[in-house]
Amino acid sequence: MATSTPLRPPAQPPARTPARERATATGTRPGPGPRRRFELDDRNVLLLYVLTRVGIWTTAYCARWLFTEDRKARDAEPTLSSWGQWDWWHYLHIAQDGYFPGGAGPWTDDWDNREAFFPGFPLVLRAVHVVIPDWTVAGLLISFVSGAVAVLALARIARLHLPNTNSALGQRTVLFFLLSPCAVFLAAGYTESLFLALALPAWLAARRGNWPLAGILACLATGVRVSGLFLAAAIAVHFIATTNLRKQWRSLPWIALPALPAALYAWFLHAHTGDWMAWNHAQERGWYRDFHAPWETWQNTWKAAFAHTQSTGYAIMFQAELVTMVVGLLLLAVLWGRKRWPEAVYVGLSLWALGTSYWYTSIPRATLLWWPMWVLLAAWSLRRPWVKSAYLCVVAPLSTILTITFLSGRWAG
C-alpha cells in the first residue's frame, strides 16, 4: 500500500516585532511613535484642565445668583463680579495707575501698600489690556493661558519622576493639583498661574541641563512673585549637585540671573521712597509679615484659631493655616529623607518665609506652588489606589466649598 506524504503544518509567517522593540534591538528610535504618545498625553492633560475650568466657571455663575448681598434681589450681580475679589484690586490699580500715582505712597493716609506686590503680573495685565479692553477679562485670560502651560509642564515633571508610568503619573498629578482646595486661585486674576507657567518650565529645563533657559524663565518668575528666589535657590542646588563646576562655570551667570528682578525692584522702590526695604515694610504694614520666631508664629496662629479672639470665618482660616503648615513640614521631611535636596530647599525656604511672620497667612494658597507635593501624592496613589479615593472624597468637597466662598465674596483671609 502506498504511503502518503506526511502532512506538514503550514508555514508560519515571521512574528511581527513591535516598532518600539525593533527600535530597541537596532539602537534606533521610531520617529512618529513617541511624538504621537506625548501629543496624546498632552491632549488628555489639557482636556482635564478645560473640564475643571468649566466646573469653576459654572460654580461662579451659580454663586452670583445664590449668594447675593440682598436676599430679595430679583437679578444677579454682573457676570464678572465674582472675579473682582481681594488681591485682584491691587494688581488692577498697579496696572492702571502704577505704584505711586500722583505722588501718593506710604506717607499718605489710607495707603493700600501696593508695593508689596511684584510688578510682573501687572505689567502683563497692562499689555494684554491693549488687546482686551475689559480688565477683568484680561486677567482671567492671562490665568487661563498660563494655567494650561503650567499643567503641561507639571505633567512632564511628573513623568521624569517615574518614567516607567508613562502618562499615568502625569495625568494623576494634574488631577490632584486641579482639584486642590485652593485651585480657584489658578482661575482668578492672581499670580499663581502666571508664576507656575514660568517656574515649572524653568525647573523642567534645569532637570534637562538647559541652564540658560532655566535661568531666563526663573528670572521672569521672580518678577511675578518673590517665590522665584526660592526656585532659583533650588536650581542652584541642582546645578551644583549634577554638574562639573570646572566644566560648567560659564553657566553660573544664568544661575544667578533670577536675582536681577528683585534687585531692580528694590532699586525702583528706593528711588521713590528712599527705602531699600520698602517691599518688606509694605508686607509688614499690610499683612503683619514682620519677623517672629517660628514658635511664636505658631502660638499666635493657634490663639487666633482656637482662643475665640477672631470671628468664625477668620478662625477657620487660621485653622486651615495650621493644618497646611503641618502638611508642609511633612513634605519637607519626605523630600529630605529621599535626598531630593533641590526640592527640599524650595519647599523649606517657602515654609521659612511663611512661618516667621506674626501669624500664618496664605499658606494654603502656597501649596499650589509646591509641585513636589503633587507629584509625590500622585505617585503614592498609583501604589495605593485607596489614596485617590480618599483624596477625591475629602478634598473635592472642600475645594467646592472654598471656591464658592471665594467667588461669593465671603473669603475670610
Side-chain angles (χ1 to χ4, degrees):
M1 182 174 65
T3 58
S4 60
T5 304
L7 297 177
R8 296 180 179 179
Q12 297 292 332
R16 294 184 177 180
T17 305
R20 190 173 303 280
E21 295 182 11
R22 293 200 305 270
T24 303
T26 59
T28 59
R29 296 182 62 187
R35 181 174 299 177
R36 285 198 298 268
R37 180 173 65 84
F38 281 116
E39 289 178 354
L40 178 61
D41 294 345
D42 292 342
R43 287 198 297 270
N44 290 336
V45 167
L46 289 177
L47 176 61
L48 179 60
Y49 176 71
V50 171
L51 289 175
T52 57
R53 300 311 90 184
V54 171
I56 288 179
W57 296 332
T58 303
T59 304
Y61 174 83
C62 296
R64 68 188 185 90
W65 283 89
L66 295 173
F67 300 99
T68 58
E69 294 184 3
D70 183 5
R71 295 187 177 183
K72 297 182 179 181
R74 302 285 178 164
D75 197 5
E77 297 291 330
T79 303
L80 299 175
S81 61
S82 298
W83 300 104
Q85 306 283 356
W86 314 107
D87 288 356
W88 161 252
W89 296 113
H90 292 283
Y91 302 126
L92 177 62
H93 294 156
I94 295 170
Q96 290 177 330
D97 308 319
Y99 278 96
F100 306 102
W107 49 86
T108 58
D109 296 333
D110 299 325
W111 179 241
D112 59 5
N113 300 303
R114 64 182 66 183
E115 68 272 26
F117 299 89
F118 272 42
F121 184 84
L123 286 173
V124 176
L125 178 61
R126 189 172 184 87
V128 174
H129 175 65
V130 175
V131 181
I132 308 296
D134 189 279
W135 288 98
T136 304
V137 174
L140 295 176
L141 180 62
I142 293 169
S143 292
F144 179 75
V145 175
S146 300
V149 175
V151 295
L152 287 175
L154 179 61
R156 293 178 183 182
I157 290 173
R159 293 169 201 153
L160 288 178
H161 180 75
L162 286 177
N164 59 343
T165 60
N166 293 326
S167 63
L169 182 58
Q171 295 180 28
R172 183 69 59 84
T173 301
V174 171
L175 174 67
F176 286 0
F177 172 68
L178 292 176
L179 294 182
S180 61
C182 289
V184 64
F185 293 104
L186 298 170
Y190 277 46
T191 59
E192 278 78 2
S193 287
L194 182 59
F195 174 80
L196 289 172
L198 297 166
L200 295 181
W203 179 246
L204 195 61
R207 287 289 305 272
R208 293 171 176 171
N210 190 341
W211 306 114
L213 181 59
I216 292 172
L217 291 174
C219 177
L220 295 174
T222 303
V224 177
R225 292 179 67 101
V226 71
S227 303
L229 295 176
F230 311 153
L231 172 67
I235 292 176
V237 172
H238 183 64
F239 177 79
I240 295 171
T242 59
T243 63
N244 187 329
L245 295 181
R246 293 182 179 179
K247 296 181 179 180
Q248 294 284 343
W249 63 269
R250 288 187 177 88
S251 298
L252 288 174
W254 297 111
I255 305 301
L257 185 62
L260 182 61
L264 291 177
Y265 187 50
W267 173 81
F268 167 80
L269 293 180
H270 176 266
H272 287 80
T273 66
D275 182 8
W276 286 105
M277 300 293 292
W279 175 83
N280 186 65
H281 293 155
Q283 292 275 335
E284 293 175 355
R285 290 191 304 268
W287 292 269
Y288 301 98
R289 293 192 183 275
D290 50 326
F291 180 80
H292 286 73
W295 52 89
E296 294 178 353
T297 307
W298 176 274
Q299 292 174 353
N300 293 335
T301 309
W302 184 275
K303 181 178 179 181
F306 298 108
H308 306 288
T309 60
Q310 304 288 331
S311 63
T312 56
Y314 279 100
I316 195 171
M317 289 305 301
F318 281 117
Q319 293 170 24
E321 300 280 352
L322 291 169
V323 172
T324 313
M325 173 56 74
V326 173
V327 171
L329 293 174
L330 290 175
L331 172 63
L332 179 60
V334 171
L335 293 172
W336 193 267
R338 296 189 177 189
K339 298 182 180 181
R340 303 187 70 89
W341 312 124
E343 293 95 331
V345 167
Y346 175 76
V347 174
L349 289 175
S350 176
L351 289 173
W352 178 262
L354 295 168
T356 53
S357 301
Y358 177 78
W359 49 31
Y360 299 148
T361 306
S362 300
I363 301 182
R365 278 177 58 185
T367 60
L368 295 172
L369 313 183
W370 298 347
W371 78 86
M373 180 176 71
W374 305 114
V375 175
L376 292 174
L377 182 61
W380 186 25
S381 73
L382 291 179
R383 297 191 302 270
R384 300 287 188 271
W386 63 267
V387 173
K388 177 183 177 182
S389 300
Y391 183 89
L392 295 179
C393 291
V394 175
V395 176
L398 181 61
S399 178
T400 302
I401 293 172
L402 294 181
T403 299
I404 294 174
T405 302
F406 174 81
L407 295 172
S408 61
R410 290 167 171 79
W411 190 262

